[in-house]
Amino acid sequence: MSAPSRLERQLAFLAEIDALKSVERMTRVIGGARRENSAEHSWHLAVMAGLLAEYAPEGCDPGRAARMLLIHDIVEVDAGDAFCFDERANLGREERERQAAERIFGLLPADQAQDLRALWEEFEHGDTPDARYAAALDRLQGMLQNLHNEGGTWLEHDVPRAKVLARLEPVRTGAPDLWPFVQEVVDRLRPAASRAAGSGDRAHGSDAGPEAAPARKRGAEAPQR
Amino acid sequence: MSAPSRLERQLAFLAEIDALKSVERMTRVIGGARRENSAEHSWHLAVMAGLLAEYAPEGCDPGRAARMLLIHDIVEVDAGDAFCFDERANLGREERERQAAERIFGLLPADQAQDLRALWEEFEHGDTPDARYAAALDRLQGMLQNLHNEGGTWLEHDVPRAKVLARLEPVRTGAPDLWPFVQEVVDRLRPAASRAAGSGDRAHGSDAGPEAAPARKRGAEAPQR
């Protein structure tokens, strides 16, 4: 048996990552019909990277951030997606993802394996302008889905307002001009705990009831072939 | 009522295109569990654009081709996906897609609407190196899915070998170094009509039975949270 050719390795990797389409995230598609998978989530983020480039931090290359976002979840093919607010599911996550990176990127020719592995690690460390912008978009997208799903996973899982804001914190450094908007949305959705606690958060919020955008069912109307 | 702000228009577009996750294509994910949707398909293509850049035609910017692939199917939010071998479904497709482009890209601020509209039209016309590379990957991805699904839609719909090769023709100009591989795969899968016809195609094929890669169920094994 001869060693696989460069093209064979590239195609084996591309076939392997098809499985990301079957990794479910906690967040739902807009309209709520089903949970989103990590492949379509990555697509959404890469589109955002181009369109929201004007809010990226100084020194960021939005095209490179898009490339990072396209591959940032690939380790989930082996490691699965851990719901961000589930502490138990996140135990050992780093080690599982490291092993996954080793195996999955390792399917590629060495130069490309090294390139994608480094790009993924840069995202994980979050120290560069590209990684910070990418992380901001990752959080922002979850917020948008929840905004259009009447609070979505935040209300569904009764996540306290402070935890929601902490989760969204990367937006403050990765897309600083969008931070006021993020705060406004969180206040508008008023996650469960802020209501339960009464709390000093009131200063930011309106006193009107929840005003989340209505859930839509667009996808169901589109012709399906 | 004041006009929506720039950010509001950008976010309205990003929420609108979430519906692409609910547009089903004919092709199945590897393992065959369900049909693929156009959002995850676009993700797969954008990853391919980076990884297969060494096969791109001269003058191609693979990053720009990836950007093109991320948005090439967005019109399907309104127009749906027409199976490429279904002639009736393709009647009037161009006009439906033109109207969809008008509406959906029109949600964006004018400069971005114009930019994405032009990028989509460039893909549709297929005259530039970026568009040719993008089209080649679009066809190649369908072939990979079918290769890993034991012939997939080609056998399922009894598509004649000549039609399969005509469909894959963009690979010849958009990623010429991959064309011999494409011919080899088509011969290996031996779509229905080539068997029925006997045909002079034999010269390229082996006489062994179909040797498609076994269907896999990876996604089902990955931990789901």
Side-chain angles (χ1 to χ4, degrees):
Chain A
M1 224 173 61
S2 60
S5 71
R6 184 169 172 86
L7 177 60
E8 280 167 343
R9 298 191 75 138
Q10 291 163 329
L11 297 181
F13 173 83
L14 289 170
E16 189 68 24
I17 66 171
D18 193 77
L20 199 60
K21 299 169 188 169
S22 305
V23 175
E24 257 189 8
R25 294 162 45 77
M26 195 55 88
T27 311
R28 290 180 172 274
V29 297
I30 294 179
R34 61 169 175 83
R35 299 203 188 276
E36 173 176 69
N37 70 58
S38 293
E40 61 199 5
H41 163 70
S42 301
W43 164 78
H44 214 166
L45 290 176
V47 177
M48 288 173 78
L51 278 178
L52 302 180
E54 64 206 79
Y55 313 104
E58 208 172 309
C60 170
D61 171 350
R64 191 164 174 278
R67 226 180 120 233
M68 192 180 276
L69 286 164
L70 286 172
I71 60 102
H72 83 295
D73 271 346
I74 280 177
V75 292
E76 295 180 0
V77 164
D78 284 355
D81 180 66
F83 183 43
C84 54
F85 296 111
D86 181 344
E87 287 173 16
R88 233 181 72 190
N90 280 282
L91 285 176
R93 187 174 63 83
E94 276 187 31
E95 178 52 23
R96 281 196 302 279
E97 293 193 348
R98 201 195 53 72
Q99 287 178 13
E102 195 72 27
R103 185 187 78 78
I104 303 168
F105 295 131
L107 294 170
L108 285 166
D111 59 319
Q112 295 188 314
Q114 201 173 355
D115 176 42
L116 288 206
R117 175 77 187 252
L119 200 61
W120 173 71
E121 284 177 355
E122 183 180 331
F123 174 80
E124 287 295 305
H125 296 146
D127 292 332
T128 61
D130 292 353
R132 280 200 290 271
Y133 179 53
L137 297 179
D138 193 19
R139 306 303 158 86
L140 202 61
Q141 193 255 4
M143 188 190 79
L144 282 181
Q145 307 288 98
N146 284 337
L147 172 63
H148 285 273
N149 285 333
E150 298 170 339
T153 51
W154 297 343
L155 294 189
E156 195 181 320
H157 296 274
D158 218 24
V159 183
R161 183 179 187 284
K163 279 202 175 181
V164 168
L165 274 176
R167 172 77 186 157
L168 291 166
E169 179 69 21
V171 178
R172 195 202 290 265
T173 48
D177 290 349
L178 297 179
W179 185 242
F181 166 72
V182 166
Q183 290 178 301
E184 185 199 307
V185 168
V186 173
D187 286 333
R188 187 151 26 124
L189 294 179
R190 302 172 99 197
S194 82
R195 281 179 300 200
S199 94
D201 290 328
R202 278 291 166 83
H204 296 287
S206 89
D207 274 326
E211 291 173 279
R216 302 172 324 149
K217 304 276 179 205
R218 286 292 322 207
E221 288 162 33
Q224 309 283 319
R225 291 210 58 90
Chain B
M1 223 171 68
S2 61
S5 71
R6 185 169 171 86
L7 177 60
E8 280 166 343
R9 298 191 75 139
Q10 290 163 330
L11 297 180
F13 174 83
L14 289 169
E16 189 69 24
I17 67 171
D18 193 77
L20 199 61
K21 300 169 188 170
S22 304
V23 174
E24 257 189 7
R25 293 161 46 76
M26 194 56 88
T27 312
R28 290 181 171 277
V29 297
I30 293 179
R34 62 170 173 84
R35 301 203 186 276
E36 173 176 69
N37 71 57
S38 293
E40 61 199 5
H41 162 69
S42 301
W43 163 78
H44 213 165
L45 289 176
V47 177
M48 288 173 79
L51 277 178
L52 302 179
E54 63 205 78
Y55 312 103
E58 208 174 308
C60 171
D61 170 351
R64 191 164 174 280
R67 227 181 118 231
M68 192 180 276
L69 285 164
L70 286 172
I71 59 103
H72 82 294
D73 270 347
I74 280 178
V75 293
E76 294 180 0
V77 164
D78 284 355
D81 180 66
F83 182 44
C84 55
F85 296 112
D86 181 344
E87 288 172 18
R88 234 182 70 190
N90 280 281
L91 284 177
R93 187 175 62 85
E94 276 187 32
E95 178 53 23
R96 282 197 301 280
E97 293 192 349
R98 201 194 54 72
Q99 287 177 12
E102 194 71 28
R103 184 187 79 76
I104 302 168
F105 295 131
L107 295 170
L108 284 166
D111 60 317
Q112 294 188 313
Q114 201 173 355
D115 177 42
L116 288 207
R117 174 77 187 253
L119 200 61
W120 173 70
E121 283 177 356
E122 182 179 331
F123 175 80
E124 287 295 305
H125 295 144
D127 293 332
T128 62
D130 293 353
R132 280 200 289 272
Y133 179 53
L137 297 179
D138 192 19
R139 306 302 160 85
L140 203 62
Q141 192 255 7
M143 188 190 79
L144 282 182
Q145 307 288 100
N146 284 337
L147 172 64
H148 285 273
N149 284 333
E150 297 171 340
T153 51
W154 298 343
L155 295 190
E156 194 180 322
H157 295 274
D158 217 23
V159 183
R161 183 180 186 283
K163 279 202 176 181
V164 168
L165 274 176
R167 170 79 187 159
L168 290 166
E169 178 69 20
V171 178
R172 195 202 289 266
T173 48
D177 290 349
L178 297 179
W179 185 243
F181 165 72
V182 166
Q183 290 178 301
E184 185 199 309
V185 168
V186 173
D187 287 333
R188 187 152 26 124
L189 294 178
R190 302 173 98 195
S194 82
R195 283 177 299 198
S199 93
D201 290 328
R202 278 292 166 83
H204 296 288
S206 91
D207 274 325
E211 292 174 277
R216 302 174 322 150
K217 306 273 180 206
R218 285 293 320 210
E221 290 162 30
Q224 308 283 319
R225 293 210 56 90

